[in-house]
C-alpha cells in the first residue's frame, strides 16, 4: 500500500549541479527567474506563512527540501504530511531538523545547488546575527545562479535587512464560508502584503489556496484588497458570524 504522506520517502536526487545565466531586469524571462523570497509572520504562532509558502511551491514532482531551526519548530510546528494534499502539494517534502540558524543557512545554500530539487524552504526564528545581509545575498545569488527558488520563513522578525528579491508579510484572516456546514471553518484566507520587491509593484492581497485548480501552478490565488478599513472589518465580522 502506498504511504499516505510524502514525508519519510527515500528520494534519489540527481548529482548534477545546474548553473544557468539569469536574465537581467527587462529581458524576457526575468519575471520567472527563481529568486530568494522572504516571508515574515504578522504575529506569533500564525500558520499563514506556512500555508502561503506551500501554496506557492512549484507544481513539480521533484522534491522540496524544508529545513528549520529549533525555535521555528517550537513556534510554527512541523509539517503534517497527509494535510499537504489539501493544499495541492504533490512534491515529496524532504524535512531537515537542525538546532542553530547557521545550520539552516548552510543547508539552504548547499541544497539550492542541487538540480534534483524543485525548491528550498528554510525557517529561521528571530533575527540572529548569522542571518546578516551578506548571508541573504549569498542565498539570493545561489537561487538565481542555480535556478532553484528559495523561500526563507522568518518568524519573530520585524523586517531586518535582506537581499531577498521579494519580501512578504502574512497574516491570517477569518476563513471563507464552508459550503457544507456554516458552523465549520472553510478555506483558509490570508492577508499577503508584498512590502518590498524588485521588478514588481508592492501591494496587499487576500490570498488562498485552490487545491483543485486546473493547473497546479495556479493553486495560489491572490485577490486585490480595496484597502477600505471599515469594509474589511465588516467583512471579517460577517465571515465570523457565518461560521467562516
Amino acid at each position: 500500500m502506498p504511504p499516505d504522506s510524502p514525508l519519510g520517502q527515500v528520494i534519489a536526487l540527481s548529482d548534477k549541479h545546474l548553473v544557468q545565466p539569469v536574465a537581467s531586469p527587462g529581458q524576457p524571462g526575468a519575471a520567472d527567474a527563481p529568486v530568494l523570497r522572504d516571508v515574515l509572520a504578522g504575529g506569533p504562532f500564525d500558520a499563514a506563512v506556512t500555508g502561503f509558502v506551500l501554496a506557492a511551491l512549484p507544481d513539480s514532482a521533484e522534491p522540496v527540501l524544508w529545513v528549520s531551526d529549533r525555535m521555528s519548530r517550537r513556534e510554527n510546528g512541523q509539517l503534517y504530511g497527509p494535510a499537504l494534499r489539501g493544499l495541492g502539494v504533490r512534491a515529496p517534502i524532504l524535512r531537515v531538523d537542525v538546532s542553530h540558524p547557521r545550520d539552516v543557512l548552510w543547508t539552504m545554500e548547499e541544497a539550492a545547488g542541487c538540480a534534483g530539487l524543485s525548491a528550498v524552504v528554510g525557517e529561521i526564528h528571530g533575527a540572529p546575527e548569522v542571518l546578516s545581509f551578506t548571508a541573504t545575498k549569498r542565498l539570493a545569488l545561489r537561487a538565481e545562479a542555480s535556478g532553484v527558488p528559495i523561500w526563507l520563513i522568518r518568524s519573530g522578525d520585524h523586517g531586518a535587512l535582506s537581499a531577498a528579491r521579494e519580501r512578504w508579510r502574512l497574516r491570517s484572516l477569518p476563513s471563507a464560508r464552508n459550503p457544507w456546514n456554516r458552523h465549520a471553518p472553510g478555506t483558509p484566507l490570508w492577508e499577503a502584503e508584498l512590502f518590498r520587491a524588485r521588478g514588481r509593484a508592492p501591494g496587499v492581497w487576500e490570498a488562498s489556496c485552490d487545491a483543485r485548480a486546473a493547473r497546479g501552478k495556479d493553486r495560489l490565488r491572490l485577490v486585490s484588497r480595496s484597502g477600505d478599513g471599515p469594509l474589511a472589518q465588516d467583512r471579517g465580522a460577517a465571515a465570523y458570524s457565518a461560521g467562516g
Side-chain angles (χ1 to χ4, degrees), residues 163-188:
R165 300 302 189 251
E166 294 182 6
R167 307 199 71 190
W168 294 83
R169 183 176 288 108
L170 270 292
R171 301 177 181 86
S172 292
L173 296 174
S175 67
R177 178 178 297 182
N178 189 309
W180 312 111
N181 185 346
R182 62 185 298 268
H183 299 293
T187 301

Side-chain angles (χ1 to χ4, degrees), residues 170-214:
L170 270 292
R171 301 177 181 86
S172 292
L173 296 174
S175 67
R177 178 178 297 182
N178 189 309
W180 312 111
N181 185 346
R182 62 185 298 268
H183 299 293
T187 301
L189 299 178
W190 315 299
E191 180 186 84
E193 177 191 1
L194 179 63
F195 63 92
R196 185 169 300 164
R198 181 178 299 179
R200 61 183 299 186
V204 181
W205 294 268
E206 181 180 273
S208 62
C209 180
D210 182 5
R212 295 176 294 180

Side-chain angles (χ1 to χ4, degrees), residues 88-238:
V89 178
R90 63 189 184 96
I93 304 292
L94 307 179
R95 202 183 74 207
V96 180
D97 296 342
V98 298
S99 296
H100 199 277
R102 64 170 174 268
D103 299 320
V104 175
L105 293 170
W106 182 88
T107 303
M108 293 175 68
E109 187 172 347
E110 292 297 312
C114 180
L117 296 174
S118 61
V120 173
V121 181
E123 294 185 73
I124 292 180
H125 188 274
E129 185 176 352
V130 295
L131 187 55
S132 61
F133 180 85
T134 301
T136 59
K137 183 68 173 180
R138 290 173 61 93
L139 290 176
L141 293 175
R142 177 58 67 95
E144 294 170 6
S146 67
V148 177
I150 299 178
W151 293 85
L152 178 57
I153 297 176
R154 305 173 67 152
S155 304
D157 184 348
H158 300 292
L161 288 176
S162 172
R165 300 302 189 251
E166 294 182 6
R167 307 199 71 190
W168 294 83
R169 183 176 288 108
L170 270 292
R171 301 177 181 86
S172 292
L173 296 174
S175 67
R177 178 178 297 182
N178 189 309
W180 312 111
N181 185 346
R182 62 185 298 268
H183 299 293
T187 301
L189 299 178
W190 315 299
E191 180 186 84
E193 177 191 1
L194 179 63
F195 63 92
R196 185 169 300 164
R198 181 178 299 179
R200 61 183 299 186
V204 181
W205 294 268
E206 181 180 273
S208 62
C209 180
D210 182 5
R212 295 176 294 180
R215 297 186 302 174
K217 66 179 182 179
D218 296 331
R219 298 193 318 274
L220 180 62
R221 302 184 62 185
L222 297 174
V223 179
S224 180
R225 307 198 75 186
S226 67
D228 187 326
L231 180 62
Q233 294 173 9
D234 291 344
R235 184 202 173 284

